[in-house]
Amino acid sequence: MSRILLSPPHMGDIERQMLLDAFDSNWIAPVGPDIDAFEREFAEVVGVPHAAALSSGTAGLHLALRLLGVGPGDEVIVPTLTFIATAAAVTYVGAKPVLLDSELATWNLDPDLLAEELAAAAKRGKLPAAVIAVDLYGQCADYDRIVPLCEEYGVPLIEDAAEALGATYRGRPAGSFGRIGVFSFNGNKIITTSGGGMLVSRDGDLVARARNLASQARMPVVHYQHEEIGYNYRLSNLLAALGRAQLRSLPDRVRRKREIFAFYRGALADVPGIDFMPIDPAGEPTCWLTCILVDPDEHGMDREKLRLHLDDEGIESRPVWKPLHRQPALADARCEAAPVAEHLFARGLCLPSGSSMTPADLGRVVGAIGAVPKWKTC
Ligand SMILES: *Cc1c(COP(=O)(O)O)cnc(C)c1O
């Protein structure tokens, strides 16, 4: 039996055809018609007028901070429960991440803690240079509260929507809530270009500047003229063709991810000690990965034992993100207690959620979880 992976790339015939068409056109460069079209089509899907195609989501976060003028001596608020890239980008510009805990309702940046931190920072006389909210596992953060808070203090909001392409909040697409939104097309994300990302904003000048900074900040003259230091962060035209093809099936992919979540929730309802990531009624998540919480006393196994058991059955699963305040690489980042993130890391497990999973695959996963020996009784 083949191994069931967490979220492998899911390609179809259109992907192959559009990639080969781009190849045959000889636009094998970080410029070309598929890049322009991908940016246009993507902007339409996320309901934001401007988009810049990049080599990764991390590059998008780095550029977002550069565009907002964040630099050495600045602080940037980041949730501690996220992938390292969110905070790594802060360190790239010489700023310091301030790590805040999540709320249980969405697993995202806790708006009460954000309010406290902003009030305390205002009192100290030095506000953070930016707030990065993350839409974890494809569920939007509480923007009803986070957006007004950032506006009240005049702190720009960046939305890390790397996992949330196709999600909505109050009917509005994920990625559209900050001054800048960032997406990832890494191999395990909702759509993939093998590696890639997108920066979006309502501010066309900002996005034009992002494209320029992503192309070594080269000025529009024939000789190579550079008035500031940029990066080599543009997406290749070949990969943009792949992205365009993937974007066409985005609604199907998200629908399938939501079906997978609903299937797991139904099938595991009677297994003791298994809970699901809560769904905030204000939004519709992508369900990028279905995440469960394992109560070791009720279930009989802790999260790690269950993960190893699934591994033995040929099923890949992963702990929920290890909080950033527990990462040695960020040991000097400021973080008050983060009991929610600690709790979610201790109990949280991400189940295989690839949009190409078959009913038989899903049956194997729930069978393996349901078939867990209850050694409390043996
Ligand atoms: C994947 C991911 C990123 C980084 O995207 P890359 O394209 O891999 O650089 C950033 N933030 C979050 C929350 C992610 O899941």
Side-chain angles (χ1 to χ4, degrees):
M1 261 190 298
S2 63
R3 199 168 155 77
I4 299 177
L5 298 173
L6 200 66
S7 185
H10 178 191
M11 293 292 144
D13 293 338
I14 308 176
E15 278 80 351
R16 193 184 162 79
Q17 196 50 54
M18 289 183 77
L19 180 65
L20 291 176
D21 287 348
F23 182 89
D24 292 339
S25 75
N26 208 36
W27 283 104
I28 313 210
V31 290
D34 285 295
I35 297 179
D36 302 340
F38 188 32
E39 290 178 342
R40 254 193 336 267
E41 291 160 5
F42 192 90
E44 208 156 289
V45 166
V46 300
V48 177
H50 307 283
L54 303 171
S55 54
S56 72
T58 310
L61 292 165
H62 184 190
L63 286 179
L65 292 161
R66 266 287 302 260
L67 292 168
L68 297 173
V70 183
D74 287 331
E75 288 189 333
V76 175
I77 292 178
V78 172
T80 190
L81 190 69
T82 180
F83 179 50
I84 186 82
T86 317
V90 175
T91 71
Y92 295 172
V93 296
K96 285 202 158 61
V98 175
L99 305 173
L100 294 189
D101 203 4
S102 291
E103 56 167 357
L104 273 173
T106 65
W107 294 16
N108 287 315
L109 186 63
D110 182 332
D112 289 328
L113 295 178
L114 177 63
E116 273 174 35
E117 177 60 32
L118 289 172
K123 230 171 159 185
R124 288 195 299 271
K126 183 149 171 53
L127 286 166
V131 171
I132 309 181
V134 180
D135 301 329
L136 210 68
Y137 298 113
Q139 168 153 268
C140 282
D142 181 355
Y143 292 117
D144 276 353
R145 294 193 56 208
I146 292 172
V147 171
L149 271 170
C150 288
E151 279 170 359
E152 181 187 338
Y153 288 91
V155 177
L157 175 66
I158 297 169
E159 183 180 356
D160 179 348
E163 304 170 2
L165 176 60
T168 61
Y169 180 83
R170 305 251 177 243
R172 245 175 79 185
S176 67
F177 290 90
R179 274 285 300 284
I180 299 173
V182 174
F183 295 88
S184 166
F185 312 130
N186 194 12
N188 60 1
K189 297 286 159 67
I190 309 271
I191 71 169
T192 184
T193 58
S194 76
M198 194 74 82
L199 180 150
V200 302
S201 178
R202 272 179 290 283
D203 182 339
D205 292 339
L206 214 60
V207 173
R209 218 171 105 60
R211 284 194 200 100
N212 178 253
L213 278 174
S215 320
Q216 305 285 20
R218 186 176 163 193
M219 301 304 287
V221 289
V222 285
H223 58 276
Y224 284 77
Q225 173 83 9
H226 308 270
E227 279 154 32
E228 61 184 326
I229 295 293
Y231 313 91
N232 182 3
Y233 276 175
R234 278 297 253 172
L235 188 69
S236 132
N237 190 68
L238 285 181
L239 300 185
L242 203 51
R244 290 182 69 196
Q246 291 259 289
L247 199 56
R248 290 188 182 182
S249 54
L250 176 66
D252 294 334
R253 288 159 186 283
V254 173
R255 192 181 325 113
R256 184 68 185 141
K257 294 252 184 200
R258 289 174 182 157
E259 274 171 14
I260 289 170
F261 177 90
F263 171 81
Y264 279 134
R265 199 160 54 175
L268 298 174
D270 295 333
V271 178
I274 302 277
D275 254 328
F276 283 77
M277 182 172 113
I279 303 288
D280 177 359
E284 289 187 291
T286 57
C287 302
W288 172 52
L289 298 179
T290 291
C291 303
I292 58 172
L293 292 174
V294 184
D295 179 332
D297 296 327
E298 278 187 43
H299 185 63
M301 263 195 200
D302 65 15
R303 181 264 284 157
E304 192 54 16
K305 288 216 175 76
L306 178 57
R307 190 188 70 75
L308 291 169
H309 166 74
L310 291 174
D311 196 51
D312 284 343
E313 300 285 318
I315 296 164
E316 182 186 29
S317 65
R318 293 251 179 106
V320 161
W321 298 120
K322 180 172 182 176
L324 298 183
H325 68 277
R326 302 261 310 267
Q327 301 289 355
L330 291 167
D332 58 359
R334 184 155 66 81
C335 182
E336 306 296 329
V340 174
E342 295 275 350
H343 167 77
L344 296 176
F345 175 60
R347 294 194 173 189
L349 190 67
C350 308
L351 299 179
S353 310
S355 43
S356 53
M357 280 180 87
T358 63
D361 294 335
L362 289 165
R364 253 177 78 193
V365 179
V366 296
I369 296 174
V372 162
K374 299 209 172 43
W375 68 69
K376 270 208 297 202
T377 57
C378 55

